[in-house]
């Protein structure tokens, strides 16, 4: 069993490397395909010595004096060493900015995923168990209403009601959590404040996902509940609760988990809005600022980071598959 | 009738009907079935595919969904009426008093749960035992259904075992809490021919050892021939003939039973090949024909059969009942058959099948 799992992971790791290679080519071309002289395009109009310095830095970052292949080579080598170029307005290395902002966004997305799954799983199970009844349609209708609500509307509503009117929770600001210190050693964890700060942003981001996960789990669960092994479990005299949670949930959760992995893309999009509204110093806010100031190099690096994040998360989902469903690992060879 | 009297029959089913609400109308899958079963005895239920055997056994077990199903009649286990009980109330009976072995062992076990767990969870649900005791019990159950290396199997998943082994696991699960009544719904139909007899013998051996009553469901009269004390033949949701096994084989009265017997697969064939020897198909269960349900396919069919449904009437031997106006081997029956031959009358379905 162990070796099967290891072999499974090894196979997936090879795929991971291939995907990352494709991602690197894509992001590399992103900048090179800008019209005219990329340096002029990226830092246009401005004159003066300080801009000359930035342009020189940018030219070095991009390695424009080399051939395209040579540029790609030094780009990849740079990436592998963690060089992500510089933010030309401040001259700071982008890697420093990523270290500061990535953990903020990661925690936000983790909380959002956890919150949405914590609601979606019991609701999905209940809707499947009571499929076709009033309970089912009530769950469907209300979760779809929440899905239809745009993030920014919900964010504004929540920060107005819970924050400004009721003063229950902060609507802006950020204290470092459990993840920040691993990226940036100077951050000290203030877990209580961190969690309080993160409640409204996480809930805002989570709400729309609940309907998505709930629906997927519900339909897979309805199919699972028709299976013979569920009838057999019932014929053993097992309680309904146990049949639903121990027998039916695991085989019904694979589609939902796949989508939860793919959903990281949607969440990053949502995180940009949420971070800007709640003033969180995360990647979303950095991306927003980079777009606003047309900082292409910075943006390119964020794209790389997000792509890697996306690929790694989906790798983890695949791994989770193999843990949840023993049939996905290869059948045992006779000892 | 005295309730909960240990001397009475274990199972009494009276006028049980199960109808499904579908878009086409009510499907009369089981229609007015009555039967009784004593402790330790075996009742064989035989009929073609679609005759309602599975629905009948699940109705008796009270395992059918509540929605879209209309049931009436009475099912008593040791004198206690169980038909109106809710799923929650039935949990005391399921597994503990009555258990079931399903037709397809490939889909009856949870693919993502270890075999040991699938046995012990039933044990721990019904018996107040420690985890360790439950594990030991599971291991000895696996040994008693003759699974090699039972200890190692506890930690394995179903997909690591063959169909025959999986059916043994299902048997072990059914036996786990010592039920008084075991339903075996075509327990070997999905299995390889080479292991069918082994598995049937295993079930029979365990049944005798534990003094369980058993309802053995099959489409193959050959399977129940040496194994059942009594046989009920089902057609279109009804019992059309019911007799002690010896009486049935020596003196069957129902033309359908005769046709079933003629269609017992030969030794060199797979026993789950379709019963093609009875021409035609079972009737529509939404709008059944008014007379005898078998009339369109019967060699003995007369005018009366199409118009009037024969009631279940007692035969000469005790415990023998059948539904037929022109029973096999009686003067009326012989005359009917002779008349049909003289007039060149073939059953409607056979005529259709001949042209097809
Ligand atoms: N859930 C259901 N809804 C509607 N019809 C059903 C349902 N289950 C079984 N039936 C019908 O009941 C009849 C008897 O089925 P079944 O008991 O499975 O037959 P058997 O086990 O003898 O092959 C069949 O005609 C089948 O189509
Ligand atoms: Mg069946």
């Amino acid at each position: 069993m162990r070796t099967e799992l290891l072999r499974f992971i090894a196979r997936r790791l090879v795929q991971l490397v291939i995907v990352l290679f494709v991602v690197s080519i894509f992001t590399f071309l992103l900048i090179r395909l800008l019209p005219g002289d990329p340096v002029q395009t990226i830092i246009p109009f401005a004159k003066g010595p300080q801009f000359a310095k930035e342009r020189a830095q940018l030219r070095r970052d991009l390695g424009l004096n080399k051939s395209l292949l040579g540029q790609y080579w030094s780009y990849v080598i740079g990436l592998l060493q963690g060089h992500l170029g510089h933010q030309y307005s401040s001259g700071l290395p982008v890697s420093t900015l990523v270290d500061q902002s990535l953990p903020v966004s990661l925690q936000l997305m983790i909380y959002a995923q956890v919150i949405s799954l914590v609601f979606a799983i019991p609701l999905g199970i209940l809707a499947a168990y009571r499929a076709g009844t009033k309970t089912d349609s009530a769950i469907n209708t209300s979760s779809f209403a929440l899905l239809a609500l745009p993030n920014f509307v919900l964010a504004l509503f929540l920060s107005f009601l819970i924050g400004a009117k009721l003063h229950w929770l902060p609507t802006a600001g950020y204290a470092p959590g459990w993840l920040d210190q691993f990226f940036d050693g100077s951050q000290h964890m203030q877990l209580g404040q961190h969690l309080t700060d993160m409640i409204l942003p996480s809930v805002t981001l989570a709400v729309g996902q609940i309907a998505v996960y709930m629906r997927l789990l519900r339909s897979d669960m309805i199919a699972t509940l028709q299976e013979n092994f569920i009838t057999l479990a019932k014929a053993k005299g097992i309680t309904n609760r146990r049949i639903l949670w121990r027998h039916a949930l695991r085989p019904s959760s694979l589609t939902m988990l796949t989508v939860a992995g793919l959903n990281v893309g949607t969440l990053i999009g949502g995180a940009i809005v949420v971070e800007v509204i709640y003033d969180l110093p995360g990647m979303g806010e950095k991306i927003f600022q980079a777009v606003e100031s047309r900082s292409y190099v910075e943006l390119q690096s964020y794209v790389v980071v997000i792509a890697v994040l996306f690929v790694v998360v989906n790798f983890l989902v695949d791994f989770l598959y193999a843990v949840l469903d023993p049939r996905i690992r290869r059948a045992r060879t006779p000892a | 009738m005295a309730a909960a009297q240990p001397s009475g029959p274990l199972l009494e089913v009276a006028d049980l009907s199960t109808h499904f609400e579908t878009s086409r109308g009510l499907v009369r899958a089981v229609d007015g079935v009555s039967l009784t079963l004593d402790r330790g005895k075996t009742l064989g239920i035989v009929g073609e595919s679609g005759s309602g055997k599975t629905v009948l056994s699940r109705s008796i077990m009270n395992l059918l969904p509540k929605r879209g199903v209309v049931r009436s009649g009475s099912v008593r286990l040791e004198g206690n009426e169980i038909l109106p009980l809710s799923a929650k109330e039935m949990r005391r009976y399921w597994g503990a008093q009555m258990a079931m072995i399903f037709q397809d062992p490939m889909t009856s076990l949870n693919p993502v749960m270890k075999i040991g767990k699938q046995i012990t969870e039933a044990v721990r649900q019904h018996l107040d035992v420690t985890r360790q005791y439950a594990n030991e019990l599971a291991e000895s159950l696996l040994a008693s259904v003759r699974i090699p290396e039972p200890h190692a199997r506890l930690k394995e998943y179903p997909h690591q075992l063959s169909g025959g082994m999986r059916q043994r696991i299902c048997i072990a699960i059914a036996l786990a809490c010592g039920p008084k009544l075991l339903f075996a719904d075509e327990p070997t139909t999905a299995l390889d021919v080479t292991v069918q007899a082994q598995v049937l013998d295993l079930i029979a051996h365990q049944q005798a050892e534990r003094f369980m009553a058993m309802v053995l469901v099959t489409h193959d009269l050959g399977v129940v021939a040496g194994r059942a004390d009594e046989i009920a033949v089902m057609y279109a949701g009804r019992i059309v003939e019911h007799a002690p096994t010896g009486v049935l084989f020596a003196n069957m009265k129902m033309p359908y039973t005769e046709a079933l017997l003629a269609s017992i697969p030969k030794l060199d064939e797979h026993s789950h090949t379709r019963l093609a020897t009875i021409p035609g198909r079972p009737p529509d269960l939404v709008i059944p024909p008014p007379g005898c349900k078998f009339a369109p396919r019967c060699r003995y069919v007369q005018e009366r059969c199409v118009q009037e449904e024969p009631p279940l009437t007692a035969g000469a031997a005790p415990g023998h009942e059948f539904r037929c106006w022109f029973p096999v081997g009686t003067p009326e029956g012989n005359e009917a058959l002779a008349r049909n031959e003289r007039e060149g009358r073939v059953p409607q379905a056979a005529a259709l099948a001949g042209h097809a």
Side-chain angles (χ1 to χ4, degrees):
Chain A
M1 227 64 229
R2 277 287 116 72
T3 50
E4 276 165 40
L5 208 55
L6 287 178
R7 217 172 294 143
F8 175 84
I9 294 171
R11 267 201 311 264
R12 284 302 144 115
L13 273 175
V14 172
Q15 289 175 11
L16 187 80
V17 170
I18 296 170
V19 171
L20 290 178
F21 171 70
V22 174
V23 165
S24 72
I25 291 182
F26 179 74
T27 52
F28 170 76
L29 290 177
L30 211 65
I31 288 251
R32 270 73 187 178
L33 292 181
L34 288 175
D37 177 6
V39 176
Q40 281 302 329
T41 315
I42 292 171
I43 312 181
F45 312 124
K47 292 195 176 63
Q50 79 271 35
F51 290 108
K53 222 175 82 197
E54 277 157 18
R55 289 208 176 99
Q57 177 69 55
L58 185 59
R59 218 171 275 281
R60 267 201 305 283
D61 281 352
L62 295 177
L64 286 176
N65 44 352
K66 297 184 199 145
S67 72
L68 205 63
L69 210 65
Q71 286 177 38
Y72 176 70
W73 181 247
S74 38
Y75 170 69
V76 169
I77 296 296
L79 279 187
L80 290 178
Q81 293 171 341
H83 297 314
L84 295 175
H86 294 79
Q87 185 185 41
Y88 69 82
S89 57
S90 65
L92 282 172
V94 175
S95 56
T96 309
L97 299 172
V98 169
D99 281 344
Q100 288 166 357
S101 61
L102 182 62
V104 180
S105 302
L106 277 180
Q107 288 168 102
L108 174 63
M109 290 193 288
I110 292 171
Y111 300 150
Q113 289 281 48
V114 169
I115 292 172
S116 50
L117 288 174
V118 159
F119 282 93
I121 291 175
L123 285 175
I125 291 178
L126 184 64
Y129 180 59
R130 298 227 179 274
T133 64
K134 286 205 180 83
T135 317
D136 181 27
S137 45
I139 292 174
N140 272 312
T141 317
S142 45
S143 61
F144 268 94
L146 292 175
L147 177 66
L149 209 61
N151 268 337
F152 71 92
V153 174
L154 186 66
L156 292 174
F157 171 75
L158 285 180
S159 52
F160 174 72
L161 186 75
I162 312 269
K165 260 280 194 276
L166 300 168
H167 299 286
W168 283 350
L169 290 166
T171 59
Y174 178 76
W178 46 277
L179 196 58
D180 299 80
Q181 51 200 332
F182 297 108
F183 286 81
D184 180 353
S186 66
Q187 303 282 359
H188 294 295
M189 179 168 80
Q190 301 164 248
L191 199 57
Q193 186 59 42
H194 167 79
L195 292 177
T196 330
D197 287 340
M198 293 298 263
I199 290 177
L200 283 183
S202 312
V203 168
T204 306
L205 198 52
V207 158
Q209 314 304 317
I210 294 176
V212 177
Y213 299 151
M214 190 280 290
R215 282 301 288 199
L216 289 169
L217 181 61
R218 177 186 174 275
S219 65
D220 280 8
M221 192 97 176
I222 286 175
T224 306
L225 291 176
Q226 307 293 321
E227 296 274 357
N228 283 333
F229 69 83
I230 295 297
T231 315
L232 182 80
K234 195 172 156 191
K236 286 194 272 191
I238 307 295
T239 59
N240 272 338
R241 178 193 295 258
R242 200 178 157 86
I243 289 176
L244 293 171
W245 286 88
R246 295 298 300 269
H247 282 269
L249 177 59
R250 238 167 97 168
S252 312
S253 59
L254 297 189
T255 316
M256 183 186 69
L257 286 175
T258 311
V259 171
L262 296 173
N263 223 1
V264 169
T266 315
L267 280 182
I268 290 168
I272 296 180
V273 176
V274 169
E275 286 173 10
V276 169
I277 293 181
Y278 289 104
D279 194 19
L280 295 177
M283 287 272 285
E285 201 188 52
K286 292 280 181 299
I287 291 171
F288 182 75
Q289 289 161 358
V291 168
E292 229 180 16
S293 61
R294 299 214 275 160
S295 309
Y296 290 104
V297 178
E298 210 183 329
L299 212 50
Q300 177 197 33
S301 302
Y302 295 143
V303 171
V304 173
V305 172
I306 289 170
V308 170
L309 183 70
F310 190 78
V311 171
V312 168
V313 167
N314 283 286
F315 170 77
L316 292 178
V317 169
D318 274 351
F319 175 69
L320 205 59
Y321 258 43
V323 171
L324 285 181
D325 192 340
R327 288 168 302 178
I328 290 174
R329 303 171 224 156
R330 270 223 328 254
R332 163 183 276 216
T333 41
Chain B
M1 200 183 290
Q5 208 178 65
S7 55
L10 176 69
L11 175 71
E12 294 163 279
V13 176
D15 203 20
L16 179 65
S17 293
T18 302
H19 299 172
F20 294 103
E21 289 166 344
T22 68
S23 51
R24 288 184 55 237
L26 272 193
V27 175
R28 297 158 194 278
V30 170
D31 220 10
V33 166
S34 301
L35 48 88
T36 59
L37 184 58
D38 286 327
R39 289 176 178 72
K41 297 286 187 206
T42 300
L43 170 69
I45 295 184
V46 188
E48 285 171 292
S49 151
S51 53
K53 308 180 297 292
T54 298
V55 174
L56 173 62
S57 24
R58 292 195 183 188
S59 303
I60 298 174
M61 280 267 293
N62 214 342
L63 262 180
L64 290 169
K66 289 277 178 286
R67 249 179 296 151
V69 181
V70 187
R71 289 180 316 164
S72 61
S74 140
V75 175
R76 286 166 181 273
L77 191 73
E78 300 192 302
N80 301 312
E81 179 64 56
I82 59 171
L83 200 64
L85 297 190
S86 66
K88 199 174 169 187
E89 292 165 316
M90 277 310 293
R91 235 168 264 143
R92 274 188 311 124
Y93 292 91
W94 287 331
Q97 306 284 321
M98 47 205 323
M100 191 174 231
I101 303 167
F102 291 83
Q103 178 168 344
D104 185 4
M106 304 311 269
T107 58
S108 321
L109 293 170
N110 188 333
V112 302
M113 191 183 271
K114 286 185 180 139
I115 285 157
K117 187 92 204 160
Q118 300 197 41
I119 302 173
T120 54
E121 69 169 357
V123 174
R124 300 203 63 197
Q125 171 80 34
H126 294 292
L127 315 174
D128 184 23
V129 296
T130 64
R131 185 181 303 254
Q132 195 193 337
Y133 180 82
N135 280 328
E136 284 163 13
L137 184 63
E139 193 178 328
S140 72
L141 278 164
L142 290 187
S144 70
V145 295
R146 310 213 187 93
I147 287 182
E149 294 183 68
H151 188 73
R153 295 288 168 270
L154 292 177
K155 295 261 176 305
E156 290 186 359
Y157 290 97
H159 73 277
Q160 295 169 286
L161 300 178
S162 70
M165 284 296 148
R166 289 193 211 184
Q167 194 61 301
R168 285 162 197 261
I169 306 279
C170 293
I171 296 170
I173 289 174
L175 298 177
C177 301
K180 298 182 176 114
L181 177 58
L182 178 67
F183 288 86
D185 186 359
E186 311 220 23
T188 58
T189 304
L191 298 185
D192 205 85
V193 227
T194 52
V195 300
Q196 291 188 353
Q198 279 175 29
V199 169
L200 285 168
D201 290 342
L202 175 72
I203 294 174
H205 175 76
Q206 289 296 326
Q207 183 207 358
E209 195 152 272
R210 292 159 196 265
F211 200 62
M212 282 184 304
M214 172 158 77
V215 175
L216 177 59
V217 172
T218 174
H219 61 250
D220 183 352
L221 258 180
V223 163
V224 284
R227 297 189 165 89
D229 301 296
E230 278 174 52
I231 294 176
V233 178
M234 269 191 98
Y235 189 74
R238 286 144 195 264
I239 290 181
V240 292
E241 183 157 19
H242 184 177
T245 307
V247 172
L248 189 88
F249 279 98
N251 199 9
M252 57 184 57
K253 287 278 175 273
M254 183 66 199
Y256 177 63
T257 315
E258 190 186 46
L260 270 185
L261 185 67
S263 72
I264 289 184
K266 308 291 168 289
L267 268 178
D268 52 341
E269 286 173 74
H270 291 253
S271 68
H272 53 268
T273 44
R274 279 271 173 149
L275 303 182
T277 35
I278 308 178
R281 294 219 253 109
D284 183 355
L285 296 175
V286 177
I287 319 150
C292 170
K293 308 300 172 240
F294 187 60
R297 306 167 71 190
C298 184
R299 294 200 297 149
Y300 298 73
V301 63
Q302 299 297 310
E303 233 10 83
R304 187 179 188 189
C305 306
V306 186
Q307 278 154 11
E308 225 180 312
E309 173 151 34
L312 206 54
T313 39
H320 191 179
E321 296 172 306
F322 54 89
R323 285 179 191 270
C324 188
W325 295 123
F326 303 95
V328 179
T330 60
E332 306 89 65
N334 290 338
E335 198 187 311
L337 194 60
R339 190 181 309 133
N340 284 352
E341 268 164 21
R342 219 166 37 234
E343 294 171 9
R345 177 149 52 154
V346 279
Q348 189 190 330
L352 287 177
H355 288 299

